[in-house]
Amino acid sequence: MPTLEEIAKLSNVSRSTVSRVINNDPHVRSTTREKVMAVVHQTNYRPNLAARSLATANTQILGLVVPAGVGVAFGDPFFPLFVEGVAAACTETDHLVMLWLADTDYERRMIGQIVSNGLLEGLIVSSMYLPDPMLDSIINSALPFVLIGQPLNRPEMNYVEVENRNGAREIITYLLHLGCRKIATITGPLSSPPGFYRKEGYLDALRARSVPVDPSLIVEADFTEADGYYAMQRLIPYRPEAVFGASDMIAIGAMRALREAGLRVPEDIAVVGFDDIPAAAHTQPPLTTVHQPTRRMGKIAVEMLIDLIEHPGNNQHHVVLPTELIIRESCGSMLD
Amino acid sequence: MPTLEEIAKLSNVSRSTVSRVINNDPHVRSTTREKVMAVVHQTNYRPNLAARSLATANTQILGLVVPAGVGVAFGDPFFPLFVEGVAAACTETDHLVMLWLADTDYERRMIGQIVSNGLLEGLIVSSMYLPDPMLDSIINSALPFVLIGQPLNRPEMNYVEVENRNGAREIITYLLHLGCRKIATITGPLSSPPGFYRKEGYLDALRARSVPVDPSLIVEADFTEADGYYAMQRLIPYRPEAVFGASDMIAIGAMRALREAGLRVPEDIAVVGFDDIPAAAHTQPPLTTVHQPTRRMGKIAVEMLIDLIEHPGNNQHHVVLPTELIIRESCGSMLD
DNA sequence: CTGAAAGCGCTTACAG
DNA sequence: CTGAAAGCGCTTACAG
């Protein structure tokens, strides 16, 4: 690998001039620039990032911290889609991304790697299942960072989120519009932001139409197929006309319980979900759900972080991305 | 952020000594070591990685290049599992990982970022769908690298792979053992290593038992649900007793085609897959398949790469990981 | 066991 | 428009 010094020698100019050419400094005579660039190309010269970082205190490296196990969940492509968004935005903006999958086994060591890592200019952190000590270390590190998912008890952070509440409200309103009244919901963990806010959206919709809220139609679960299955079994005796799973995986589990109980979807009961994972289009019948722009969240997170790095004053960025109601066959249409 | 210099001043020793303490050089008096460590802890000192890299030409940073879209496929968790393996192994060995999702939109820019990135000590590259020019650039970069998936026409590379051929042979042998004779297969793309070798394993098993190979029972497809579906429709008229989908997604598509045709699995026809994605356990009936240790591939790739970096001579590493036959209900049991 | 000094490859005022 | 020089924060022979 040639160095600046060598390029300088080969092109009969100083290191300073080569540096200016490399960095597109306008104060270089164009003939000089061409002469240098010729050598640069011919030698396939690439500046050494470590040296540049040291000199400028500017690395263009962003860290990405995601809990391990996320997206490994059956059928849930959150992780790959989100990472795709982040990676594409970084490539586009000439940033580099360094990745950690937060794993409790390695928590301490990882925190050290992240926080002590002099190379990072900022951090994108998935807030779900993020251990609190880890978040605290990150806050203490004084690195700019943005959270994915609104943290429930720390409103002062910068985050990008999806319209959980509003998306849920919309899909329930749609069910009401179809004529359903007795609408059950299998919520996610109410300690998690999506669990909490999707339930709030459900309540919002019922209240807006003055439909009484029946606590026996609300059961809390994990965002898994298995939990959806068991929760639905508990719900069946109450004979709901429709059930809203707070995630597609929950809804898929619910459908399995209904199938086993001999109930038909959507004839006997409507089922809807949230997330719009690819599997949702392939259930029997295909699942009506709420689409969330996962890849876009990654892109926005990068943009927000870069802004934060470049303008350290601008805190409290909150971007909440809209969802989209995806109507398929699992909710039937009681209108016709 | 304090620097070495400051720690030296605060502990009344030279920079050299602080550096030795930080790097666990044994030639330091223990009282000196303790004195310095006290200051290090108290100031929360972290060495600047860029400076260290520049001085040592050693960064402990590994690059990971995966095609975009991989693992975003419905239900296929290859990407998250594999990345988990890589990330965990890196945290464990105190390496850092820099990620790129190869995307043809950004190919040129990305190659530059990767190859010119003076920080990287080596590269893990998923060979599937990797554009050839990208691979060539990587080879030219002279960076040590390991491929995930055996490249079809470049046997001289270092790679970690799964026993595609043997896994396929085993599952077909099992079907033969159950009494099936007329076994069809929906292969993956034969230009891809898994497509090619899984078909070879199918042929191996038939030949080993002297079962004639019937070309009309072999159809090529993409590794997708949709392709499995259409391929199965073409196969149905030949009335196979069993069908081997070269991926679980293919098998799932095949099952859908059979269901629509009114054929029962496994009573009328056995169906088996390959990969053991989480969805395979949830199909109706659950799918017999071949498990591949995806997470472990990530771990092994890291170990191989580190070895390559530390011992530049050792080339032509080939690790082929064993698969495991997972017997579920989709192949029935014609023995009882 | 410890320190002074050179060096890693870049950038950037400062002069001219 | 260009160059000489200092400096970024570390490591590592070389002396002692």
Side-chain angles (χ1 to χ4, degrees):
Chain A
M1 263 292 169
T3 67
L4 246 203
E5 183 78 22
E6 285 157 45
I7 304 300
K9 204 157 290 172
L10 287 172
S11 25
N12 289 315
V13 296
S14 70
R15 289 192 303 206
S16 319
T17 299
V18 177
S19 177
R20 290 191 190 98
V21 171
I22 296 296
N23 294 294
N24 289 313
D25 185 319
H27 301 135
V28 179
R29 200 191 305 156
S30 62
T31 57
T32 310
R33 174 183 309 281
E34 280 156 24
K35 186 173 58 175
V36 173
M37 283 311 283
V39 177
V40 164
H41 284 134
Q42 171 199 323
T43 56
N44 202 21
Y45 168 74
R46 312 282 187 177
N48 176 312
L49 247 56
R52 176 179 279 178
S53 304
L54 185 56
T56 60
N58 172 277
T59 63
Q60 305 271 91
I61 301 177
L62 271 26
L64 176 59
V65 183
V66 184
V70 161
V72 171
F74 159 46
D76 185 346
F78 177 86
F79 174 70
L81 281 175
F82 177 71
V83 174
E84 259 191 39
V86 169
C90 283
T91 303
E92 199 172 354
T93 59
D94 258 316
H95 283 254
L96 267 15
V97 23
M98 212 167 255
L99 179 75
W100 286 271
L101 294 195
D103 182 326
T104 44
D105 286 5
Y106 297 116
E107 208 180 295
R108 291 212 67 73
R109 170 169 264 160
M110 207 157 36
I111 291 179
Q113 284 186 348
I114 297 171
V115 165
S116 74
N117 182 310
L119 295 172
L120 262 32
E121 302 196 318
L123 227 40
I124 294 171
V125 183
S126 170
S127 67
M128 40 180 163
Y129 312 112
L130 186 76
D132 256 21
M134 198 135 175
L135 183 52
D136 287 331
S137 305
I138 290 170
I139 294 174
N140 286 333
S141 77
L143 272 178
F145 69 99
V146 342
L147 251 23
I148 304 310
Q150 174 178 8
L152 224 39
N153 301 315
R154 313 218 195 188
E156 75 286 3
M157 314 267 91
N158 305 295
Y159 62 81
V160 17
E161 180 55 292
V162 99
E163 283 194 341
N164 284 308
R165 183 167 190 158
N166 201 50
R169 193 184 54 68
E170 257 187 76
I171 201 165
I172 299 298
T173 302
Y174 180 71
L175 288 174
L176 290 166
H177 176 65
L178 289 180
C180 297
R181 304 285 294 177
K182 223 173 144 181
I183 303 176
T185 183
I186 304 172
T187 74
L190 296 177
S191 58
S192 76
F196 180 80
Y197 288 111
R198 290 173 192 182
K199 179 189 171 192
E200 289 302 305
Y202 161 86
L203 295 175
D204 290 348
L206 294 186
R207 287 178 188 138
R209 297 272 183 134
S210 308
V211 176
V213 172
D214 177 353
S216 53
L217 292 181
I218 302 180
V219 355
E220 186 175 347
D222 272 347
F223 286 121
T224 62
E225 202 268 353
D227 257 43
Y229 174 81
Y230 293 119
M232 191 67 237
Q233 290 185 325
R234 287 164 52 198
L235 244 17
I236 288 176
Y238 297 97
R239 299 278 160 208
E241 297 165 20
V243 58
F244 164 49
S247 78
D248 289 348
M249 290 316 302
I250 287 179
I252 288 170
M255 285 170 90
R256 180 160 62 94
L258 291 168
R259 201 182 308 125
E260 284 186 8
L263 292 165
R264 295 162 306 164
V265 175
E267 294 83 351
D268 300 321
I269 178 170
V271 176
V272 301
F274 201 114
D275 288 344
D276 194 30
I277 66 177
H282 296 276
T283 54
Q284 209 52 275
L287 189 65
T288 290
T289 187
V290 178
H291 179 80
Q292 50 178 345
T294 309
R295 196 185 268 107
R296 223 175 121 227
M297 284 180 86
K299 185 170 182 302
I300 304 263
V302 170
E303 290 166 0
M304 191 188 270
L305 183 56
I306 293 176
D307 182 58
L308 237 39
I309 293 168
E310 291 175 353
H311 310 98
N314 296 8
N315 267 319
Q316 306 229 29
H317 286 240
H318 302 170
V319 170
V320 182
L321 298 176
T323 57
E324 189 189 350
L325 182 58
I326 305 291
I327 297 173
R328 297 203 182 92
E329 288 138 54
S330 68
C331 60
S333 164
M334 304 192 184
L335 292 178
D336 49 24
Chain B
M1 264 294 168
T3 68
L4 247 202
E5 183 78 25
E6 285 156 44
I7 304 300
K9 206 156 289 173
L10 287 172
S11 26
N12 289 313
V13 296
S14 70
R15 288 192 302 207
S16 319
T17 300
V18 177
S19 177
R20 290 192 190 98
V21 170
I22 296 295
N23 293 296
N24 289 314
D25 186 318
H27 303 133
V28 180
R29 200 191 306 158
S30 62
T31 56
T32 311
R33 176 185 306 283
E34 279 155 26
K35 186 173 60 176
V36 172
M37 282 312 283
V39 177
V40 164
H41 284 133
Q42 173 200 322
T43 56
N44 201 21
Y45 168 74
R46 314 280 188 178
N48 176 311
L49 249 59
R52 176 178 279 176
S53 304
L54 185 56
T56 60
N58 171 276
T59 62
Q60 306 270 93
I61 301 177
L62 271 27
L64 175 59
V65 184
V66 183
V70 162
V72 171
F74 160 44
D76 186 345
F78 177 85
F79 173 71
L81 281 174
F82 177 71
V83 173
E84 258 190 41
V86 169
C90 282
T91 302
E92 199 171 354
T93 60
D94 259 317
H95 283 254
L96 267 14
V97 24
M98 213 168 253
L99 178 75
W100 286 270
L101 293 196
D103 182 326
T104 43
D105 285 4
Y106 296 116
E107 210 179 297
R108 292 212 67 73
R109 170 169 264 162
M110 207 156 37
I111 292 180
Q113 285 186 346
I114 297 171
V115 166
S116 74
N117 183 310
L119 258 22
L120 262 30
E121 301 196 319
L123 227 39
I124 294 172
V125 183
S126 169
S127 67
M128 39 180 165
Y129 313 114
L130 186 76
D132 257 21
M134 199 135 175
L135 183 53
D136 287 331
S137 305
I138 290 169
I139 294 173
N140 286 334
S141 76
L143 271 179
F145 70 100
V146 344
L147 252 23
I148 303 309
Q150 173 178 9
L152 225 37
N153 301 316
R154 314 218 194 186
E156 75 286 4
M157 314 270 91
N158 304 296
Y159 61 81
V160 19
E161 180 56 293
V162 100
E163 282 195 339
N164 284 309
R165 184 166 188 160
N166 200 50
R169 194 184 51 68
E170 259 187 74
I171 201 165
I172 299 298
T173 302
Y174 180 71
L175 288 174
L176 290 166
H177 176 65
L178 289 180
C180 298
R181 303 287 293 176
K182 223 173 146 182
I183 303 175
T185 184
I186 304 171
T187 75
L190 296 176
S191 58
S192 76
F196 180 79
Y197 288 110
R198 291 174 189 180
K199 178 188 172 192
E200 288 302 304
Y202 161 86
L203 296 174
D204 290 349
L206 295 185
R207 287 177 188 139
R209 299 271 182 136
S210 308
V211 176
V213 173
D214 178 353
S216 53
L217 292 181
I218 303 178
V219 356
E220 185 175 348
D222 272 346
F223 286 121
T224 62
E225 203 267 352
D227 257 42
Y229 174 81
Y230 293 117
M232 189 68 237
Q233 290 184 327
R234 284 164 51 198
L235 245 17
I236 287 176
Y238 297 97
R239 298 278 160 206
E241 297 163 20
V243 60
F244 164 49
S247 77
D248 289 346
M249 289 316 302
I250 287 178
I252 288 171
M255 285 171 88
R256 179 160 62 95
L258 291 168
R259 200 181 307 125
E260 283 186 9
L263 292 165
R264 292 163 309 162
V265 177
E267 293 83 352
D268 300 321
I269 177 170
V271 176
V272 301
F274 201 115
D275 288 343
D276 194 29
I277 65 176
H282 294 276
T283 53
Q284 209 52 273
L287 190 65
T288 289
T289 186
V290 178
H291 179 81
Q292 49 179 346
T294 309
R295 196 186 268 107
R296 223 174 120 228
M297 284 179 86
K299 185 174 181 302
I300 305 263
V302 169
E303 290 166 0
M304 190 188 268
L305 183 55
I306 292 176
D307 182 59
L308 236 40
I309 293 168
E310 290 174 355
H311 310 98
N314 296 8
N315 265 321
Q316 306 231 30
H317 286 239
H318 301 171
V319 170
V320 183
L321 297 176
T323 56
E324 188 189 350
L325 182 57
I326 305 291
I327 297 174
R328 297 203 183 92
E329 289 139 52
S330 67
C331 60
S333 163
M334 304 191 183
L335 293 177
D336 49 23

